[in-house]
């Protein structure tokens, strides 16, 4: 299928600012789905609120545009009722790790088979350039005109320690790697997180004098290095890209299905045909 | 079957926002932003059909058609 078959053309040109990295993630994500050959009707995309979250409106999958920070709660419900579907949850850095931080860590802890794409532009783009938990110490934001004194989260470290079983990072500069990592994340059975460094030239770029969109992407090239490289040992400030975690661990929906089977044997389940519709002991 | 060769750049001028990402990262300096802030293929004869412009465009506004 062609790129056009995956988008809702009637909403184009899209609403993002010229050069916004979120559009490059949209582009790479479409290629990933196309290369995997997944039927678009087997994909559910659930997003929260933010410039990043607007991505769901442009894609012709089953889509839900939900509440700021809460996309993973909706996605968990959908995945548990229809585990055969592929769940994609694109999130802004604020959406994922400020207001949605608890949803993020607990979904990761359960290892539910959902693919999260953290579209990290280190700022609250949609609401006017406030700093986020990923802006970083010393950065500038509309709410930190004298520099930000908050230390940042590292999305990869959080995903790793919370229990995600696939964790990777790329940037909008590294377009082929970005696409490849999204493919791996979708294929992985379990909670997958791909952090993608994205540029917000309008707020983060302007405030921090990082230049226009392609200058910000040049910077991404400069500050990154493949995971485990020698360069990282020589310069610890470099940001690693690539796959950090790829492990097998029991997946939540599959385990839940087993619990239902056991409960059925004990006569605690009313509808064996669907396996759902449970009742408490004594009420059946 | 050799390497794919360029047939044409299909540019959607309505969607293009003139961000310059495609032109800046083109390894052969094929593309330019015109006075209307839209991309044009100024030197198509130099294009190696690597498709990096198409893959990096945030607006899905440029497509590299090969023969
Ligand atoms: C419950 C709630 N609180 C706050 C907001 C306001 N709000 C909308 S988007 C946003 C942050 C967006 O930042 P991010 O998630 O990083 O996405 P970006 O726009 O940068 O892509 C905030 C605080 C909201 N919509 N709902
Ligand atoms: S404000 Fe920033 S994140 Fe939002 S569309 Fe513009 S460039 Fe993108
Ligand atoms: S990258 Fe896309 S939107 Fe930007 S100038 Fe090129 S064609 Fe236009
Ligand atoms: S296909 Fe490659 S060489 Fe040709 S215009 Fe695009 S980026 Fe330049
Ligand atoms: Mg953001």
């Amino acid at each position: 299928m062609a790129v056009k078959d995956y988008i809702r053309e009637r909403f184009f040109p899209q609403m993002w600012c010229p050069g916004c990295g979120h559009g490059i993630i949209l582009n790479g994500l479409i290629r990933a789905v196309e290369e995997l050959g997944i039927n678009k009707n087997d994909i559910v995309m659930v997003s929260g609120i933010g410039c990043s979250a607007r991505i769901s409106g442009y894609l012709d999958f089953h889509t839900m545009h939900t509440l700021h920070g809460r996309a993973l709660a909706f996605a968990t419900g959908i995945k548990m009722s229809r585990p055969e579907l592929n769940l994609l949850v694109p999130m802004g850095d604020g959406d994922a790790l400020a207001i949605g931080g608890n949803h993020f860590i607990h979904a990761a802890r359960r290892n539910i088979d959902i693919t999260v794409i953290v579209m990290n532009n280190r700022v609250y783009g949609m609401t006017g350039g406030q700093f986020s938990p990923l802006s970083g110490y010393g950065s500038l934001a509309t709410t930190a005109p004298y520099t930000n004194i908050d230390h940042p989260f590292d999305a990869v470290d959080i995903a790793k320690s919370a229990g995600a079983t696939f964790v990777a990072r790329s940037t909008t500069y590294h377009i082929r790697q970005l696409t490849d990592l999204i493919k791996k994340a979708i294929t992985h059975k379990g909670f997958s997180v791909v952090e993608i460094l994205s540029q917000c030239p309008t707020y983060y770029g302007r405030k921090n004098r990082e230049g226009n969109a392609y200058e910000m992407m040049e910077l991404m090239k400069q500050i990154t290095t493949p995971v485990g490289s020698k360069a990282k040992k020589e310069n610890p400030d470099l940001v690693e890209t690539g796959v950090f975690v790829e492990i097998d661990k029991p997946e939540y929906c599959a385990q839940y299905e087993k619990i239902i089977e056991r409960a059925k044997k004990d006569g605690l389940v009313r509808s064996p045909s669907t396996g759902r519709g449970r009742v408490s002991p004594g009420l059946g | 079957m050799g390497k794919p060769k360029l047939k044409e750049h299909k540019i959607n001028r309505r969607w293009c926002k003139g961000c310059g990402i495609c032109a800046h990262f083109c390894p052969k300096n094929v593309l330019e932003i015109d006075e209307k802030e839209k991309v044009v293929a100024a030197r198509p004869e130099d294009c190696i059909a690597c498709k990096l412009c198409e893959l990096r465009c945030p607006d899905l506004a440029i497509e590299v058609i090969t023969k």
Side-chain angles (χ1 to χ4, degrees):
Chain A
M1 291 218 297
V3 167
K4 274 174 62 176
D5 299 322
Y6 292 94
I7 61 173
R8 296 173 178 151
E9 273 196 78
R10 62 189 182 282
F11 297 134
F12 281 70
Q14 36 85 335
M15 55 73 72
W16 293 312
C17 306
C20 175
H22 293 349
I24 303 181
I25 299 173
L26 168 76
N27 193 330
L29 177 88
I30 293 171
R31 317 264 167 193
V33 170
E34 184 188 26
E35 285 171 27
L36 286 175
I38 307 175
N39 184 323
K40 63 180 180 179
N41 294 322
D42 292 336
I43 298 176
V44 184
M45 176 172 276
V46 186
S47 67
I49 299 293
C51 294
S52 40
R54 294 291 292 263
I55 192 172
S56 63
Y58 299 119
L59 287 159
D60 197 26
F61 308 141
H62 300 289
T63 62
M64 256 180 116
H65 196 174
T66 68
L67 304 173
H68 192 32
R70 314 288 180 229
L72 279 169
F74 290 87
T76 297
I78 296 168
K79 183 70 186 177
M80 291 205 66
S81 61
R82 297 288 301 274
E84 71 279 12
L85 297 174
N86 294 287
L87 266 290
L88 303 184
V89 180
M91 315 182 87
D93 45 313
D95 200 43
L97 292 165
I99 192 167
N102 258 8
H103 292 291
F104 184 90
I105 57 176
H106 291 288
R109 180 175 60 81
R110 292 189 182 118
N111 193 35
I112 186 162
D113 185 22
I114 291 174
T115 299
V116 168
I117 298 165
V118 181
M119 302 163 74
N120 178 13
N121 56 13
R122 305 177 67 189
V123 73
Y124 291 173
M126 175 151 273
T127 44
Q130 297 85 353
F131 62 84
S132 90
L134 284 90
S135 297
Y137 182 86
S139 61
L140 291 160
T142 52
T143 44
Y146 299 105
T147 73
N148 181 19
I149 55 169
D150 277 20
H151 297 284
F153 273 151
D154 178 320
V156 163
D157 284 350
I158 291 189
K160 264 163 56 173
S161 47
T165 49
F166 182 90
V167 183
R169 184 191 286 123
S170 187
T171 83
T172 52
Y173 170 79
H174 300 89
I175 183 65
R176 290 189 201 280
Q177 180 194 47
L178 178 167
T179 302
D180 185 49
L181 293 179
I182 293 179
K183 277 167 73 177
K184 287 203 168 89
I186 292 175
T187 314
H188 179 81
K189 189 99 189 130
F191 196 77
S192 313
V193 177
V194 186
E195 179 192 14
I196 300 172
L197 307 187
S198 179
Q199 71 272 14
C200 170
T202 302
Y203 292 113
Y204 193 90
R206 193 164 48 88
K207 274 278 163 198
N208 291 282
R209 296 188 189 83
E210 287 191 356
N212 63 23
Y214 57 75
E215 286 162 341
M216 292 181 82
M217 290 166 74
E218 285 284 359
L219 199 62
M220 289 181 198
K221 178 166 107 179
Q222 278 169 35
I223 63 161
T224 51
T225 185
V227 56
S229 72
K230 226 172 82 191
K232 175 76 179 175
K233 287 190 194 98
E234 284 156 16
N235 178 5
D237 289 340
L238 289 173
V239 179
E240 289 175 297
T241 60
V243 177
F244 299 84
V245 175
E246 193 173 10
I247 49 169
D248 273 334
K249 214 161 81 176
E251 189 276 327
Y252 198 67
C253 296
Q255 299 309 302
Y256 190 69
E257 211 45 56
K258 286 186 194 160
I259 297 290
I260 290 173
E261 287 307 314
R262 282 174 54 192
K264 265 199 237 166
K265 276 203 198 111
D266 291 349
L268 299 179
V269 171
R270 200 203 301 266
S271 167
S273 60
T274 62
R276 297 183 184 95
R278 299 169 313 283
V279 291
S280 323
L283 293 178
Chain B
M1 216 182 81
K3 281 196 176 155
K5 282 209 174 64
L6 177 77
K7 187 162 155 242
E8 58 169 340
H9 294 91
K10 209 165 128 195
I11 293 164
N12 185 335
R13 289 181 66 88
R14 217 168 60 75
W15 292 8
C16 172
K17 294 180 188 146
C19 69
I21 291 173
C22 56
H24 178 80
F25 290 110
C26 169
K28 293 290 171 187
N29 195 25
V30 172
L31 309 167
E32 272 177 21
I33 306 299
D34 70 12
E35 70 287 351
K36 294 231 163 70
E37 302 211 326
K38 305 284 176 185
V39 74
V40 285
R43 287 165 290 278
E45 63 282 4
D46 294 341
C47 175
I48 51 170
C50 67
K51 297 203 177 188
L52 283 172
C53 52
E54 175 179 331
L55 298 178
R56 283 209 186 93
C57 173
D59 289 272
L60 310 176
I62 182 167
E63 207 182 329
V64 178
I65 314 285
T66 52
K67 52 188 170 195

